[in-house]
């Protein structure tokens, strides 16, 4: 699951660095522009160790971005889940439920505001559990996001690939639940905005850290 950005009206999966233009506002192919795939899942679903997103979920989106930073920097930033509030403003709290490096079976609980919606919910508590992980390659976690009158079950896959210009980060997420299933186009659009915002923040933060690391 991702996180919401209240002033953008973004639900789980959303965050944007204040100095980084949103990928939606960048021309296709411009540096920092997240590349999209149709929400209907036109490509083969993303997987980690053979497991992917929910195959029957109607709310889904996939996006990717190239980050000009070492793979180790990108991976460490993404998997240090307790550190997310320091670079993702919408993540208000984050705690690991087990010690040590992120691994299969690790769990973390975090909270984020939720934008105005048809339910009374104003915030979400999300408990994510790592189901699959391959070091420096991929991670897949699942878990519920709950708020007052709102329940979303999410499956989220990330892959990390060295490429010309840095690291290609690709992410795909699906949501199911009574509220999102009741309005699939809106829920899909919100998920898209959230994932692309997350990628923008990951890129901005990883590249800033890389500039201060010895080459």
């Amino acid at each position: 699951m991702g996180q919401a950005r209240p002033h953008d009206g973004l639900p789980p999966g959303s965050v944007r660095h204040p100095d980084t233009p949103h990928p939606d506002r960048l021309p296709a192919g411009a540096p920092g522009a997240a590349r999209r795939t149709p929400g209907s899942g036109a490509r083969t679903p993303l997987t980690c160790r053979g497991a992917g997103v929910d195959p029957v979920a109607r709310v889904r989106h996939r996006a990717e971005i190239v980050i000009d930073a070492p793979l180790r920097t990108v991976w460490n930033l993404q998997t240090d889940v307790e550190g997310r509030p320091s670079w993702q403003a919408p993540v208000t709290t984050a705690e690991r439920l087990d010690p040590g490096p992120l691994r299969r079976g690790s769990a973390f609980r975090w909270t984020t505001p939720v934008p105005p919606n048809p339910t009374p919910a104003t915030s979400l508590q999300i408990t994510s559990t790592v189901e699959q992980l391959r070091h420096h390659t991929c991670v897949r976690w699942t878990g519920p996001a709950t708020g007052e009158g709102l329940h979303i079950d999410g499956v989220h896959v990330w892959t990390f690939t060295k490429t010309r210009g840095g690291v290609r980060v690709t992410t795909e997420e699906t949501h199911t639940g009574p509220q999102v299933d009741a309005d699939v186009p809106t829920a899909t659009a919100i998920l898209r905005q959230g994932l692309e915002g997350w990628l923008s923040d990951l890129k901005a933060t990883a590249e800033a850290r890389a500039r201060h690391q010895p080459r």
Side-chain angles (χ1 to χ4, degrees), residues 2-4 14-15 81 83-86 88-94 110-113:
Q3 71 280 342
S14 87
V15 60
V81 294
R84 287 175 55 193
S86 69
Q88 292 181 295
V91 180
T92 52
T93 67
W110 46 289
T111 58
T112 181

Side-chain angles (χ1 to χ4, degrees), residues 1 11 15 26 41 44 51 60 77 84 111 115 117 120 124 131 146 150 154-155 158-159 163 165-166 189:
M1 292 294 297
V15 60
L26 294 173
T44 302
R60 63 180 59 230
L77 180 63
R84 287 175 55 193
T111 58
N117 64 89
L124 289 173
E131 306 289 351
T146 58
L150 177 60
V155 182
W158 296 82
T159 65
T163 188

Side-chain angles (χ1 to χ4, degrees), residues 141-167:
W141 59 62
T142 65
T146 58
E148 187 178 358
L150 177 60
H151 182 97
I152 301 170
D153 286 308
V155 182
H156 203 165
V157 180
W158 296 82
T159 65
F160 305 80
T161 308
K162 286 186 178 180
T163 188
R164 183 176 180 180
V167 179

Side-chain angles (χ1 to χ4, degrees), residues 126 166 179:
I126 303 152
Q179 293 77 32

